[in-house]
Structure formats: C-alpha cells, structure tokens
Amino acid sequence: MSTSMEAVASAARADAPPAILLDKVNKWYGAMHVLRDVSLNVALGERLVVCGPSGSGKSTLIRCINRLETHQEGSIKVDGIELSDDLRALDAIRREVGMVFQSFNLFPHLTILENCTLAPIWVRHMPKAEAEALAMQYLERVKIPEQAKKYPGQLSGGQQQRVAIARALCMKPKIMLFDEPTSALDPEMIKEVLETMVGLAETGMTMVCVTHEMGFARQVADRVVFMDRGEIVEQGAPNDVFENPRTDRLKLFLSQILRGH
Amino acid sequence: MSDAAIPSPARAAPITLVGPIAWVRTNLFSGWFSGLFSLLLLFLIVKWAMGFIEWGVINAVWSVPNNQTQACRELKGTGACWAVITEKHRFILFGTYPYEEQWRAFLSILIFIGLFIVSAQRVFWRKELGLVWVGALTAIGILMWGGVLGLNYVPQERWGGLVITLILATFGLAFAFPLSILVALGRRSKLPAIKALCVLYVELIRGVPLISLLFMASVMFPLFLPEGMNVDKLLRAQIAIILFAGAYLAEVVRGGLQTLPRGQYEAADALGLSYWAKTGLIILPQALRLVIPPLVNTFIGFFKDTSLVLIIGIFDLLTAGKTAIIEPAWQGFGIEVYLTVGFIYFCFCFAMSRYSQNLEAELNRHRVR
C-alpha cells in the first residue's frame, strides 16, 4: 500500500542531505504493534506534516525521532547520528532537535525568560547575559517579549505555546518537531500559534508537524504523510494527498476531519 | 435610561456585614443555639484562665533559699513552685556539663538559634550558606568538647539538656534530608539494583520502631567493632536517627515526585538536559515545594522524637528535666518542670510551623494566577 520513498520525495528539496532517516522502524507497546515497518526520509529544510486518526502512531513516530520513545526494530538516523542506547549520541541529537508538545509543558516554577534560558545555559554552557539576549530575541519573534518576567500560569494557552516554541528555538536546533501543537488550544488561539509556525517555516527550518490543520499543511508543507494503524498509507504534496486520496482509509479520514471543520 | 451613564456611587457596607461586630454576629451568635454555646465556652475559658493565673502567678513561689522547699509544699498544689525552675534551669538546659563551663553550652545554643534564623532567610540561600553551616557546627564542636584554644576538655558523657536535643535534631535533619532525596530518586531509578537497595532500606527501617534502632545502635553495634575501637555513643544514636528520619522523609519526597506530570520530564529531556540538571532544576524544585507541609510535619515529629534517646542513657532536654526532680527535696514538682520543658519544645516546633507556612506561600506564588 505504501508508496516508495523516491517517487514522492519533495522535488524542491530532493537534492538536500537527509536530516532524518527512518528505515523499517517497528515499535510495540507491550503486545500492541504501534509502528509497522515505517520508512521515512526527511530532507534538510523540508517541511513535513504527519496526519492520521488518533491511535495511528503519528505521535509515537515523532517521539521516536528524539527518543522520548524507544523503537525495537529498524534504524533511525538524525543529522547523520544513529539513535541507540549510547547516551552521548542521544545528548547530541537532543541538542539539535527541538520539540513542541500538545500540552506546552512549560516549567511552571520558572519565569518565561528562565524557561527560555535554562537549556542554553545548562546544555550549551552559554553565559547568562548572552542566553537572556538570545531568549529576548526569540520572544520578540513569537511576539511576546513583554511577558518575559511572568510565570507560565499567568499566560493564555496560545501565549504559552508560543513561549514553548521560543524555548525550543533558543537551543538553535536544526530540526523542529511539533506534536499536535494546536490541539489543546481554544479556537481563537490556534491562529496565533499557526502564524508563528508559518513564520518559522519561512526561515527554512526543517519541520516535522503532527497536526490536523489542513490550511497549515497546504500553506507550508512540502509533503504530507498520512498514517493509519501504525503504518504510512499515503504521502505526497499536500494538494495531491488532499484532493486525490487513493485509499479508502485516507478518504474516510478526510471526510471525518472535514465534517469536523 | 438616562441614569445608566453615571454609575451610582458605592455605598459603605452596613455594619452588620463588615467589621468586628459583624464577625462576632456571624461566627459566634448566628442563632440561639450557637449563641448559647459561645457563652458557655466563654465562661469555661475565662474560668480556666483565671484558675491558671491564680495557680501560676498569684499563688506561685518563685524562689526558695537553699533547697528549702517547705514554702512550696505548704501550698498543697494551690500555687506553682517555679522555684524548681529557678533552681534547676541550668541543669535542664545544660545537663551535667561542668558548672563553670556552662557558658560554652549556652553559647552553642545561641549559635544554633542564630544558624536557624540565618538559614530561614531566602536572601541567604547561596553557596556560602554551606560554609556558614560548616563554620557554625565546627564552632559548636570546639565549644562543647574543648581541649583546644585554652578550653578545658569536656567528655561527651557530660553533655546534656537542650544542647543535646538541638544537636540530635539539627544534625539529624541536615543529613537525613539530602539522604532522603537520594533515596526517593533511587526508588524511581531505572537501574534495578539501585531501586531494590532503596526499597529495601525504606521498608526495613520503616518496619522497626525508632527505639529498637537506638537499642541496636547502642548495644549491638559495638559488638561488631574490633576490640578496643569505640564509637561515641551520641554519634551512634545520631546515625540511627539520621537513618530513621531518612526513610520517612524519602517517602514524603517520593510523594512529591509522583505528583509531577510526565510532560515535565519529557520537556526537560527534549531540551537535552542531563539527568542531574533535569532533577535539580526542574523536578526537585517543583516536587519539594509541593511537599512542604508533610515535610515540616515529619521535621517537627523528629524534633520531638529525639527525646527517645533517654532509653540509651543520653541526657536530652526531656531527660534532664525528669532527672532534675529526682532529688528528694524537689520531688513532686513535675508539673512545673514538664510545663517548662514542653514550652521550650513548643517554641521550636511552633516556629518551624509558622515558618513553613510563610515559605509555602512565598514559593508557590507562581501558582497564583
């Protein structure tokens, strides 16, 4: 069912070196087979959107990329480094891969500024003043520099998610992972977060986004991957995938989310 | 409709809603039954307080000449014999510490209290505070033991009273708290050996009474030492208290660790923080401030539990008080002595309790929206 990698790799970025390489990845939660022979190639600078019904394994897939989950079979290479139990390789990968979560996961006991400077100071060993200048720069980019001294609990959901994006960017990652970044937000706040993500896409950042926001996918994605029951069912350019679904599973999924909108 | 543009001025609330009169009305006399009950309680409180003042102040004897306690005995319980405190307060506070050298024990108590006050100020929560502790405890050690700087040597067997209670409680909690954090983290470790070791420690120690641990430390432990080697009795009791308190505190800390959502761990991991950076900067600061009430509860409990060392012959505050009234002349004045000792315990425990409430409010400011 799954189409071959080479045929669908984004034409615009096909010549760029791969940022993420998944080869026949399999994962089980106990007896449940959640990722089945998933192979995926994300080029440097490519914007990939992963969609699919809940329980299809899309979140598990991107959580495997920075090893918040471990896979049991196959290989995952990020930025040329093979993911394994080697802690030094893991540290190197996590430094280069930023992640934004559905539930923001800001640190509630630290101010917005401290949330952003923590990792640069403790992981990149950046001097405090430099880290703060960097953090303010990114907070300005997500348009909330005036909230720097507040605590996460004092911000709206949309603002918190933008802080989470700034926090990840402060590590100057090569790759950004988004795990349903707008699913926990009230409708009026989804737009501000998506706009931030569009702005980020325009800078040429390699992005892998798990999202159901079709508008966003059409606007920025180079490629859309549709997953169902742990496997990649279809992939291709957004218009292709959304206008001409070839499988019944994708047709069903599209009809369901369109009805929801 | 024309009035709508100008908001009507706010009127002061009627006297039945705010102020002390309103408070009394709503809390004490909200109905005939509660009114009657309030009056009854008020009567009992006044009667009891007047009785106490009569006993403790008006009829009290404050001092007697040369251990002649006839004046006290003639009261036949209608007045307090505070003379026992006047006479014995130095024994209660310092035990059998040599009389002329008791200023050293007194100075040690002041250093302890000063250390608590300095440590309680958040502005002093810096690395230097560790040095202050080392310096203060060294000073207390030099003062109590002596043998250097022209001070006479005082063997540990002669220490006693409040100083012993403060030593056992301060060292006990200062070592037990870091130990408990390590054990709590170890119980959640992915390494099976470390996890098993921590579970075993907590379950073993929690499974026996503190008294049996103290007995083991004082009676059994020396049997395992090579002949001629002797570990100070106070030190053995101190280690038993540290191990015991550590196991209880570890479970309190673990409770705090479990309340943190998994997302906090994942966010720290995703940022590439190392295990110790994640634990020290993200996990513990949040987990510990959540468990301040049960932590202080345990602290207060152990402050008082140090009095159990009496069963292995160490003279803490309570034992010193008890011993002070063994002398025939002073027998029968237990109430006065125990009230005084109880008051000293209360001062320390109440201070801990009030401080923890302030600390909790201050540290949890970020949770207020």
Side-chain angles (χ1 to χ4, degrees), chain A residues 30-261:
Chain A
M32 198 163 58
H33 199 175
V34 289
L35 291 180
R36 308 179 183 195
D37 277 338
V38 174
S39 294
L40 187 67
N41 183 350
V42 183
L44 204 61
E46 185 175 4
R47 277 95 59 155
L48 187 77
V49 163
V50 183
C51 61
S54 67
S56 60
K58 52 197 191 314
S59 281
T60 309
L61 177 74
I62 75 161
R63 288 161 62 86
C64 280
I65 294 173
N66 67 351
R67 213 172 170 76
L68 288 181
E69 307 280 355
T70 53
H71 58 285
Q72 280 88 41
E73 277 177 21
S75 82
I76 301 177
K77 269 188 187 168
V78 178
D79 197 28
I81 306 167
E82 169 98 42
L83 278 184
S84 65
D85 288 329
D86 180 8
L87 287 176
R88 225 172 305 156
L90 183 62
D91 282 347
I93 285 164
R94 285 185 173 160
R95 241 172 279 162
E96 304 307 331
V97 180
M99 185 158 190
V100 175
F101 299 86
Q102 181 178 349
S103 49
F104 330 135
N105 294 348
L106 293 178
F107 305 128
H109 62 302
L110 301 177
T111 63
I112 299 308
L113 188 65
E114 286 165 342
N115 263 279
C116 293
T117 57
L118 187 81
I121 290 174
W122 289 91
V123 181
R124 292 232 188 261
H125 306 292
M126 196 183 275
K128 194 176 170 207
E130 197 182 319
E132 282 178 353
L134 181 76
M136 286 312 293
Q137 187 189 323
Y138 280 111
L139 285 174
E140 261 157 46
R141 225 168 90 183
V142 300
K143 302 195 179 70
I144 33 179
E146 71 283 359
Q147 314 281 9
K149 294 276 178 254
K150 288 192 183 168
Y151 287 97
Q154 298 167 303
L155 268 57
S156 73
Q159 289 174 322
Q160 289 195 46
Q161 193 60 298
R162 284 186 282 152
V163 171
I165 294 172
R167 175 177 73 176
L169 290 176
C170 282
M171 281 295 283
K172 300 205 166 155
K174 291 180 182 159
I175 301 163
M176 284 285 285
L177 307 175
F178 293 84
D179 188 3
E180 305 205 30
T182 56
S183 301
L185 294 174
D186 292 334
E188 72 269 23
M189 291 169 185
I190 292 177
K191 195 166 153 259
E192 61 184 63
V193 171
L194 288 180
E195 274 169 6
T196 308
M197 289 169 66
V198 171
L200 181 62
E202 282 161 2
T203 66
M205 173 71 74
T206 309
M207 293 165 70
V208 180
C209 313
V210 172
T211 181
H212 291 162
E213 296 295 330
M214 312 289 267
F216 173 78
R218 280 175 203 272
Q219 194 180 344
V220 303
D222 295 307
R223 181 157 50 117
V224 171
V225 169
F226 170 65
M227 288 186 73
D228 189 25
R229 287 176 223 154
E231 54 191 359
I232 294 179
V233 179
E234 280 193 43
Q235 51 182 315
N239 281 333
D240 241 20
V241 171
F242 295 146
E243 306 303 336
N244 308 307
R246 276 164 291 173
T247 58
D248 293 339
R249 287 201 250 176
L250 179 53
K251 278 177 198 161
L252 179 68
F253 173 70
L254 288 174
S255 71
Q256 278 166 344
I257 62 165
L258 288 178
R259 209 182 304 143
H261 277 243

Side-chain angles (χ1 to χ4, degrees), chain A residues 108-109, chain B residues 177 181 184-185 188 251-261 264-265 278-295 363-364 366-367:
Chain A
H109 62 302
Chain B
F177 186 44
I181 290 175
L185 291 171
R188 294 167 62 88
E251 287 299 281
V252 173
V253 174
R254 192 168 69 96
L257 292 175
Q258 271 170 343
T259 58
L260 281 201
Q264 292 290 308
Y265 291 85
K278 173 176 73 174
T279 305
L281 299 168
I282 307 299
I283 307 305
L284 285 180
Q286 293 187 67
L288 291 182
R289 55 186 82 176
L290 282 172
V291 293
I292 288 175
L295 269 183
L363 288 180
N364 285 324
H366 69 275
R367 289 206 279 174

Side-chain angles (χ1 to χ4, degrees), chain B residues 92-104:
Chain B
I92 294 171
L93 289 178
F94 311 121
T96 52
Y97 207 82
Y99 195 84
E100 302 73 36
E101 310 280 352
Q102 282 179 358
W103 62 272
R104 286 157 54 180

Side-chain angles (χ1 to χ4, degrees), chain B residues 63-90:
Chain B
S63 64
V64 291
N66 307 324
N67 284 352
Q68 302 299 306
T69 52
Q70 284 91 336
C72 282
R73 303 221 178 268
E74 277 160 16
L75 292 171
K76 294 196 175 13
T78 58
C81 179
W82 296 120
V84 66
I85 306 300
T86 318
E87 193 65 31
K88 294 286 185 185
H89 70 276
R90 288 178 71 143

